[in-house]
């Protein structure tokens, strides 16, 4: 991870020099204003990496939304351009996706755009990024569009700077999305993880209101709840959440005081690591205490919520799993529900995002597909339909996600701060690994 961080810095430095050589900005600025023009004309043809990510020249971050000459083109204009690409031999738009539901958009796409072939490859996150990177390095680019999520800043800080991907922000659609959800990527939809509890064991509602209560102990020193989760250190999204607690340590400390009425006592040993660990940091303290709790790691989300369903009031359990696993409540009759609005915040939003591939054969077709799959101009293209399920939230304010029991803003999650997490993530991963290995309960 430390080598990766160094690589990212070197790549970004190369990006800065490259931009200077080809006339791009090196002052850390991007065209992020709603009224701005179309800067960096080289961006669309892949000749120069875009100035997004970390800029060593100014020690600042440059964020989206990034508007360029593609941003104001309509569906009709992009369709005409895409047909020309197809006539020129680029007859298939290739999409590398991490969601199998992307395969289900093909019928709606073919109905709207019958002249354009669509090929969707269902891959895992590492495969999507690795294949795109290899294709870029060999200049044998097949992919036109990538769909993946970035939960620790890896995509934002590294793949833009290497010139593997380009952002595409359609201005009309972005006007319906909060800017905090456009800083690092153009979103398809958002999801999150929840702690699940047993509704039969707790008929009056969720038994916890704070993250600290998850690891609470009884008066005799025994653990109050049996805990089930995927292994935190192997789940980038979960480890990023714990990293965020360190970044928002003051809020973690206040949450503890609000629950227990006393100041937090710090018990972790910061001297165990070859890097500087902040002292008296409530997020670090939480990571330490959680790593020493008795817990059961289960890789399958359905089995995680089944463990909660099988628990009782006398032997209660909590499980951390993706929001979509709530579907077992109706499909399988599980007595499960989400714990919401935990303090200091419930979760980080995991945003599935769309990226155009730099140097692809179908730059117009790629952008037409990205517009289509995120709803098109009016949100009614049909592209969003396969993703419209409980546990997924659309971030457009003109698309109603009435399949969810609660609006996203009522659940207590917050946008992912990739700026802070990216630089902190490798150390947090090392801390978790070492401390978990010291857990006498595991």
């Amino acid at each position: 991870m430390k080598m990766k961080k160094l690589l990212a810095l070197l790549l970004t430095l190369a990006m800065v020099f490259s931009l200077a050589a080809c006339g791009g900005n090196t002052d850390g600025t991007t065209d992020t204003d709603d009224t701005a023009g179309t800067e960096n004309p080289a961006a669309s043809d892949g000749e120069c990496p875009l100035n997004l990510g970390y800029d060593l020249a100014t020690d600042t971050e440059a964020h989206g939304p990034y508007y360029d000459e593609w941003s104001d083109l309509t569906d009709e204009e992009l369709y005409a351009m895409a047909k020309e690409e197809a006539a020129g031999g680029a007859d298939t738009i290739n999409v590398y996706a991490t969601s199998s539901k992307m395969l289900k958009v093909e019928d709606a796409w073919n109905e709207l755009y019958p002249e354009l072939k669509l090929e969707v490859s269902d891959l895992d996150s590492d495969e999507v990024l690795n294949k795109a990177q290899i294709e870029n390095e060999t200049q044998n680019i097949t992919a036109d569009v990538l769909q993946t999520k970035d939960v620790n800043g890896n995509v934002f800080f590294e793949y833009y700077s290497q010139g593997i991907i380009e952002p595409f922000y359609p201005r009309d659609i972005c006007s319906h999305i909060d800017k905090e959800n456009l800083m690092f990527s153009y979103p398809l939809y958002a999801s999150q993880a929840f702690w699940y509890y047993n509704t039969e064991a707790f008929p009056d509602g969720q038994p916890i209101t704070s993250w600290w209560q998850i690891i609470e102990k009884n008066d005799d020193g025994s653990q109050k709840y049996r805990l089930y989760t995927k292994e935190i250190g192997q789940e980038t999204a979960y480890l990023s959440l714990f990293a965020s607690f360190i970044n928002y340590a003051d809020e973690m400390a206040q949450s503890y005081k609000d629950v227990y009425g006393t100041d937090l006592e710090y018990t972790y040993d910061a001297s165990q690591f070859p890097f500087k660990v902040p002292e008296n940091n409530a997020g670090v303290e939480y990571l330490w205490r959680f790593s020493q709790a008795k817990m059961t790691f289960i890789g399958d989300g359905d089995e995680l919520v089944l463990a909660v369903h099988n628990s009782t009031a006398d032997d209660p359990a909590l499980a951390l799993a993706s929001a979509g696993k709530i579907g077992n409540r109706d499909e399988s009759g599980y007595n499960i529900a989400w714990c919401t609005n935990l303090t200091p915040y419930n979760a980080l939003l995991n945003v599935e995002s769309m990226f155009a591939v730099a140097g692809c054969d179908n730059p117009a077709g790629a952008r037409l597909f990205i517009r289509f799959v995120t709803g098109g101009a009016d949100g009614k293209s049909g592209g969003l339909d396969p993703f419209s399920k409980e546990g997924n939230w659309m971030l457009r304010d003109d698309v109603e996600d009435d399949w969810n029991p609660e609006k996203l803003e009522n659940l207590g999650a917050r946008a992912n701060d990739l700026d802070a997490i990216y630089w902190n993530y490798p150390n947090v991963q090392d801390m978790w690994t070492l401390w978990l290995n010291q857990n006498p309960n595991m």
Side-chain angles (χ1 to χ4, degrees):
M1 288 301 297
K2 293 178 178 62
M3 287 298 296
K4 182 169 127 181
K5 186 185 297 184
L6 177 60
L7 175 62
L9 290 171
L10 294 173
L11 287 168
T12 310
L13 182 59
M15 172 190 71
V16 173
F17 291 139
S18 177
L19 284 166
C22 65
N25 296 330
T26 59
D27 60 358
T29 62
T30 57
D31 176 10
T32 61
D33 191 282
D34 278 346
T35 60
T38 56
E39 299 295 326
N40 195 1
S44 64
D45 58 20
E47 293 179 4
C48 293
L50 293 175
N51 192 15
L52 289 180
Y54 194 79
D55 186 349
L56 284 177
T58 59
D59 194 32
T60 59
E61 290 83 24
H63 303 114
Y66 184 97
Y67 297 121
D68 59 14
E69 63 268 31
W70 294 103
S71 298
D72 293 309
L73 295 178
T74 65
D75 294 326
E76 292 74 21
E77 290 169 327
L78 287 170
Y79 188 24
M81 296 169 67
K83 286 191 288 186
E84 290 181 5
E85 292 169 350
D91 60 352
T92 302
I93 298 169
N94 286 284
V95 180
Y96 291 174
T98 61
S99 173
S100 60
K101 292 181 176 57
M102 190 66 73
L103 297 167
K104 298 180 180 179
V105 307
E106 292 181 346
D107 289 343
W109 169 266
N110 292 333
E111 185 175 340
L112 280 178
Y113 306 113
E115 294 91 345
L116 303 177
K117 297 179 184 177
L118 183 67
E119 183 72 30
V120 177
S121 298
D122 178 19
L123 308 168
D124 65 29
S125 182
D126 287 341
E127 285 180 304
V128 165
L129 296 172
N130 289 341
K131 282 175 66 68
Q133 184 167 20
I134 292 171
E135 289 179 10
N136 179 270
E137 291 171 351
T138 61
Q139 285 302 292
N140 184 25
I141 297 173
T142 299
D144 299 293
V145 177
L146 304 185
Q147 176 259 310
T148 189
K149 62 185 171 214
D150 186 11
V151 294
N152 68 347
N154 178 56
V155 177
F156 180 74
F157 284 102
E158 298 179 23
Y159 282 76
Y160 283 132
S161 64
Q162 294 183 63
I164 296 171
I165 58 172
E166 297 176 339
F168 172 52
Y169 287 97
R171 197 188 302 262
D172 58 337
I173 299 176
C174 289
S175 69
H176 294 285
I177 302 172
D178 287 342
K179 280 193 173 182
E180 69 175 4
N181 294 317
L182 295 169
M183 288 181 64
F184 303 105
S185 62
Y186 175 64
L188 174 59
Y189 65 89
S191 62
Q192 61 180 292
F194 286 95
W195 284 99
Y196 285 78
Y197 72 97
N198 186 304
T199 54
E200 191 173 76
F202 299 99
D204 295 331
Q206 65 188 63
I208 56 173
T209 60
S210 166
W211 274 83
W212 292 102
Q213 293 171 314
I214 296 165
I215 54 175
E216 198 169 89
K217 294 184 178 180
N218 297 310
D219 292 339
D220 62 1
S222 62
Q223 197 165 294
K224 190 169 185 178
Y225 302 102
R226 285 190 291 120
L227 302 181
Y228 296 88
T229 178
K230 295 182 179 180
E231 211 278 77
I232 302 296
Q234 297 176 12
E235 294 293 319
T236 307
Y238 293 169
L239 199 61
S240 294
L241 174 62
F242 280 69
S244 77
F245 289 154
I246 296 174
N247 297 331
Y248 294 100
D250 290 346
E251 295 181 40
M252 287 294 289
Q254 186 61 52
S255 174
Y256 183 92
K257 189 170 185 177
D258 290 343
V259 172
Y260 300 109
T262 60
D263 290 331
L264 176 65
E265 180 183 353
Y266 296 94
T267 61
Y268 63 89
D269 181 3
S271 68
Q272 299 181 60
F273 303 96
F275 47 83
K276 183 175 177 57
V277 176
E279 296 182 0
N280 296 337
N281 181 290
V284 176
E285 180 66 25
Y286 190 85
L287 183 71
W288 159 247
R289 295 192 188 189
F290 192 93
S291 72
Q292 300 309 294
K294 184 177 181 180
M295 65 193 94
T296 301
F297 296 142
I298 300 176
D300 183 83
D302 294 316
E303 293 183 16
L304 284 168
V305 294
L306 176 60
V308 172
H309 170 71
N310 289 333
S311 66
T312 65
D314 294 330
D315 187 19
L318 301 171
L320 182 62
S322 63
K325 296 307 173 183
I326 194 67
N328 285 284
R329 176 196 55 202
D330 300 323
E331 295 170 8
S332 304
Y334 289 3
N335 299 315
I336 56 173
W338 299 326
C339 294
T340 64
N341 288 299
L342 300 181
T343 61
Y345 46 93
N346 207 68
L348 294 179
L349 291 184
N350 296 324
V351 178
E352 296 288 351
S353 299
M354 306 301 302
F355 302 94
V357 176
C360 69
D361 291 335
N362 300 280
R367 288 160 174 82
L368 178 64
F369 178 79
I370 291 173
R371 286 182 60 90
F372 160 80
V373 79
T374 56
D378 59 2
K380 300 176 181 178
S381 69
L384 284 172
D385 291 351
F387 310 99
S388 301
K389 62 184 267 309
E390 193 170 11
N392 292 346
W393 287 267
M394 304 302 139
L395 296 175
R396 294 179 60 153
D397 63 15
D398 59 342
V399 173
E400 285 291 331
D401 49 7
D402 52 8
W403 51 86
N404 281 308
E406 281 285 353
K407 296 294 183 184
L408 188 62
E409 58 268 23
N410 297 332
L411 298 172
R414 63 174 49 171
N416 198 331
D417 184 4
L418 297 182
D419 280 339
I421 289 174
Y422 178 76
W423 307 107
N424 199 24
Y425 182 91
N427 289 348
V428 175
Q429 188 172 46
D430 289 347
M431 291 160 63
W432 169 263
T433 301
L434 177 63
W435 281 341
L436 182 67
N437 288 335
Q438 297 174 359
N439 186 334
N441 299 306
M442 302 295 289

